[in-house]
């Protein structure tokens, strides 16, 4: 976490500490980084990653429609606009409860829609659903460089 380009907080976890060859950390710990070369490097790293990031937003273009039309026969109609909003928020990292609150839906409604999306995609996990959504055009394409 970087705040105002003035200070950063780098968490250490037992997993990352062990892989870095450091001793195991029995409880949560973090490194506080103040202004200097290390903070400048962290800010530059963040900016580089941010510039390459993809927006996670659903699309309603022809590519998505073609992907929905290509779904196996016998399944109900493809994802509707609300399904895609739910999917977009989930891919942004929100919990089911947060999605429900943001969209003004009940928690069970969100859970039913996620289950339906997984059935449409023919997957069993949410990770697979995210991959399917990206691969079959249910999310926005890469933004143009320039």
């Amino acid at each position: 976490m970087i705040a105002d380009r003035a200070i950063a907080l780098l968490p250490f976890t037992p997993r990352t500490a062990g892989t870095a060859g450091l001793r195991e950390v029995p409880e949560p710990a973090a490194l506080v980084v103040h202004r200097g070369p290390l903070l400048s490097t962290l800010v530059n790293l963040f900016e580089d990653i941010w510039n390459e990031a993809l927006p996670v937003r659903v699309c309603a273009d022809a590519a998505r429609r073609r992907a929905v039309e290509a779904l196996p026969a016998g399944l109900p109609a493809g994802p509707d606009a609300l399904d895609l909003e739910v999917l977009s928020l989930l891919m942004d990292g929100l919990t089911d409860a947060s999605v429900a609150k943001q969209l003004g839906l009940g928690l069970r409604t969100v859970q039913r829609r996620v289950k339906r999306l997984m059935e449409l995609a023919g997957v069993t996990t949410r990770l697979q659903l995210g991959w399917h959504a990206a691969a079959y055009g249910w999310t926005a394409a890469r933004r143009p460089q320039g």
Side-chain angles (χ1 to χ4, degrees), residues 87-126:
L87 180 60
S88 178
L89 293 172
L90 288 174
M91 291 180 73
D92 278 344
L94 275 68
T95 64
D96 289 356
S98 296
V99 170
K101 184 175 181 180
Q102 184 157 337
L103 296 177
L105 302 172
L107 176 59
R108 287 291 301 137
T109 300
V110 170
Q111 291 169 340
R112 276 192 306 272
R113 286 186 172 268
V114 171
K115 182 179 179 192
R116 179 175 176 272
L117 285 165
M118 291 172 71
E119 289 170 355
L120 285 171
V123 299
T124 57
T125 69
R126 288 173 181 236

Side-chain angles (χ1 to χ4, degrees), residues 27-127:
E27 57 188 47
L31 174 67
V32 177
V33 181
H34 296 277
R35 289 189 193 271
L38 179 56
L39 182 62
S40 296
T41 302
L42 291 172
V43 169
N44 289 336
L45 175 63
F46 171 83
E47 294 296 338
D48 288 346
I49 292 171
W50 183 262
N51 288 331
E52 292 297 316
L54 298 175
V56 183
R57 293 288 178 251
V58 297
C59 61
D61 61 7
R64 186 194 69 78
R65 284 191 297 277
R66 283 192 306 275
V68 171
E69 291 165 1
L71 290 170
L75 286 177
D80 62 21
L82 185 56
D83 286 336
L84 295 176
E85 281 188 72
V86 168
L87 180 60
S88 178
L89 293 172
L90 288 174
M91 291 180 73
D92 278 344
L94 275 68
T95 64
D96 289 356
S98 296
V99 170
K101 184 175 181 180
Q102 184 157 337
L103 296 177
L105 302 172
L107 176 59
R108 287 291 301 137
T109 300
V110 170
Q111 291 169 340
R112 276 192 306 272
R113 286 186 172 268
V114 171
K115 182 179 179 192
R116 179 175 176 272
L117 285 165
M118 291 172 71
E119 289 170 355
L120 285 171
V123 299
T124 57
T125 69
R126 288 173 181 236
L127 180 62

Side-chain angles (χ1 to χ4, degrees), residues 12-24:
F12 289 126
T13 62
R15 182 173 49 98
T16 58
T19 59
L22 302 174
R23 65 177 175 79
E24 292 292 317

